[in-house]
Structures are given as structure tokens and as C-alpha cells.
Amino acid sequence: MKEIYAIIRPNKISATKEALAVLGFPGLTAVKVVGRGKQKGILGEVSFSFDPGLLRQEGRMKYVPKRLLYLVVDDADVPLVTAALIKINRTGRIGDGRIFVCPVEEVIRVRTGERGKEAI
């Protein structure tokens, strides 16, 4: 099993959730986050409202608002999920995000005690 972390633009969250659900992956966690990458918080790359406290001088932001999605999938599903994430979120502009794929040693469903694939 693998855990997939995707840092994406906030305006892409709905399309991403819908696409993953259609593919059979409705279960995910989404969190509002702020950060910055190589673009160093270029203000012109943000096309949505944000907290003015994130601003600093010279047309830059301390941090850029993003969404962090994470979900656990079977190893065989990683290519499908990552391809969908890329297809929905790639705009070709700075700030499209990142995808990280990490190993998962165990999954346990708290309610039933199921383990492994059955618990996903």
C-alpha cells in the first residue's frame, strides 16, 4: 500500500475530488495549508482571495494558500491515481503543486478491526 500526498491549488479541489471518486477512490483527507516552493510566493500566481497577513513587500507572499490531499491506495493503483492528479491539476504554470508517494506498512479500520487492503 502507498500513501499519496498531493499539494494542489485550492481552486482545483472540487474537480480533483470528483475525478478520484469516479475512478473509485472517494476516501481522502483534504487540509488547507500554506507554503511555498521554488516560486518563492509570487503574488501574481494566486488568483483567489487570501488572508492579507500572508503578504510581504515586493509583490511576494510569505506563503501561498494550497490544499493538501492524502489518500491510501493499493500499490497497483498508484499510477492511475497519480495520472488523474496530474491531469486535473496541471496548468503548466508555476504553482501547480507536488505529488509524493510514500510506503504504508499497515492500515487498520478502527470500527471493525479489518487490516490491510480490506481496511482501505
Side-chain angles (χ1 to χ4, degrees):
M1 289 171 288
K2 302 284 191 236
E3 185 165 24
I4 298 175
Y5 291 85
I7 301 168
I8 63 171
R9 298 176 190 273
N11 62 346
K12 296 288 191 174
I13 188 78
S14 293
T16 301
K17 288 191 303 185
E18 289 171 18
L20 290 172
V22 166
L23 292 173
F25 303 97
L28 60 85
T29 301
V31 181
K32 292 180 180 181
V33 295
V34 293
R36 66 180 215 172
K38 291 181 180 181
Q39 87 277 14
K40 298 179 184 172
I42 298 170
L43 186 55
E45 292 299 319
V46 178
S47 60
F48 48 86
S49 61
F50 55 87
D51 179 358
L54 295 174
L55 284 176
R56 66 177 195 196
Q57 71 274 1
E58 300 173 18
R60 296 195 180 272
M61 301 175 72
K62 294 178 200 172
Y63 301 104
V64 178
K66 297 286 185 177
R67 294 298 179 269
L68 172 61
L69 303 179
Y70 47 104
L71 63 156
V72 176
V73 302
D74 189 65
D75 290 359
D77 294 323
V78 171
L80 176 65
V81 172
T82 55
L85 289 167
I86 291 167
K87 182 176 181 179
I88 298 295
N89 291 282
R90 179 180 282 164
T91 67
R93 298 187 332 236
I94 291 173
D96 279 348
R98 297 282 191 278
I99 299 171
F100 303 94
V101 180
C102 306
V104 173
E105 291 185 25
E106 181 73 70
V107 176
I108 304 166
R109 185 180 312 240
V110 174
R111 180 177 54 86
T112 64
E114 292 170 298
R115 292 176 176 265
K117 289 182 187 181
E118 293 78 28
I120 295 180

